[in-house]
Amino acid sequence: MAVISTQQALDQLYLKSSESNIIERKIAAAQAHIERLLGYTFEEQFEGEENTPEDLKEAVLQLVGHWYENREATLVGVTAQELPFSVWQIIAENRAWSFS
């Protein structure tokens, strides 16, 4: 289950529900990506996704927005962008660091 609802993402992006299928896919992909970067799943780390901190939910929303606006692998006539800086900051603050 996702830490943010489809409606939350639609509201964030000012979209109508007709875009819900693509947004649901973006939410799942964004959450999976962030969980891999963090080294844990939200459900396991916070004993249920409903307990996920708000900053991590915001990171998912920002990544969904970024991926929705930049859906193609190649952009013509615009400058390519990396992940929004705030997403990296949120991930760094919440990451499970391990030094072997």
Side-chain angles (χ1 to χ4, degrees):
M1 179 163 206
V3 294
I4 61 168
S5 70
T6 303
Q7 190 58 53
Q8 286 173 304
L10 290 170
D11 291 347
Q12 173 89 1
L13 297 167
Y14 301 106
L15 298 174
K16 298 187 180 195
S17 60
S18 61
E19 298 282 338
S20 62
N21 287 338
I22 191 169
I23 293 302
E24 287 172 4
R25 291 193 311 270
K26 300 289 181 203
I27 291 169
Q31 182 170 328
H33 182 69
I34 289 173
E35 287 174 337
R36 279 192 305 279
L37 291 172
L38 290 170
Y40 56 80
T41 66
F42 297 147
E43 187 171 348
E44 292 170 358
Q45 183 72 15
F46 304 112
E47 298 178 1
E49 291 176 335
E50 66 277 356
N51 299 323
T52 301
E54 293 300 316
D55 61 340
L56 288 173
K57 291 178 184 178
E58 181 63 28
V60 173
L61 278 172
Q62 288 183 22
L63 191 52
V64 167
H66 178 73
W67 283 351
Y68 178 80
E69 294 295 328
N70 300 283
R71 287 173 274 193
E72 304 302 325
T74 306
L75 303 172
V76 177
V78 295
T79 304
Q81 301 174 4
E82 279 193 40
L83 285 175
F85 181 68
S86 57
V87 172
W88 286 118
Q89 256 183 322
I90 293 167
I91 289 169
E93 291 171 0
N94 289 278
R95 188 163 182 207
W97 297 96
S98 174
F99 302 96
S100 301

